[in-house]
Amino acid sequence: QVQLVESGGGLVQAGGSLRLSCTAAGRTLGASTEAWFRQAPGKEREFVAAISWSPGSEYYAESVKGRFTISRDKSKNAVILQMNSLKPEDTAVYYCAADRREYHSVLYIESYEYDYWGQGTQVTVSS
């Protein structure tokens, strides 16, 4: 059974930074595409960033490009989302997701392409 667990969310002022981490049990991250999505109150879940299987190509939503960076920490079996220059509109619950198809280099932006999900971590950016 695969379990993804997000951590690192919190409350930060606009312009600040947060580092989200997604760790996995029952699966070695890096053999497939992993991604971050977010969902704000009253809105649909939206794609944020994805990284393909190692060594890893990356893809970002336009709204976060240049501010967010997705990466892996293999020593911790984790996927990291470094978020800088945060804006109030970044406020959402952030979810980690993983594709079960290994060695598959496509960077999907649709949530239905991902098979494993974490429970989410809240990020709140105050103005």
Side-chain angles (χ1 to χ4, degrees), residues 8 12-20 38 48-49 60-71 80-91 94 123 125:
V12 64
Q13 288 188 332
S17 298
L18 282 175
R19 185 174 185 266
L20 304 185
R38 67 186 181 186
V48 175
Y60 298 91
E62 284 297 321
S63 59
V64 306
K65 196 175 294 184
R67 299 187 298 122
F68 291 11
T69 302
I70 189 171
S71 63
I80 308 299
L81 185 68
Q82 178 66 43
M83 307 187 296
N84 299 327
S85 302
L86 283 161
K87 304 175 181 180
E89 51 264 43
D90 294 318
T91 295
Y94 283 71
V123 171
V125 184

Side-chain angles (χ1 to χ4, degrees), residues 1 10-11 28 70:
Q1 184 177 359
L11 173 64
T28 300
I70 189 171

Side-chain angles (χ1 to χ4, degrees), residues 30-34 50-59 72 104-107:
S32 63
T33 298
E34 285 106 29
I51 185 167
S52 67
W53 73 280
S54 194
S57 299
E58 301 161 25
Y59 186 74
R72 290 196 180 92
H104 194 65
S105 299
V106 179
L107 294 164

Side-chain angles (χ1 to χ4, degrees), residues 99-117:
D99 180 3
R100 66 180 176 86
R101 293 163 290 192
E102 296 185 342
Y103 313 117
H104 194 65
S105 299
V106 179
L107 294 164
Y108 296 105
I109 65 171
E110 299 292 344
S111 60
Y112 60 76
E113 295 286 358
Y114 294 88
D115 304 282
Y116 308 116
W117 292 84

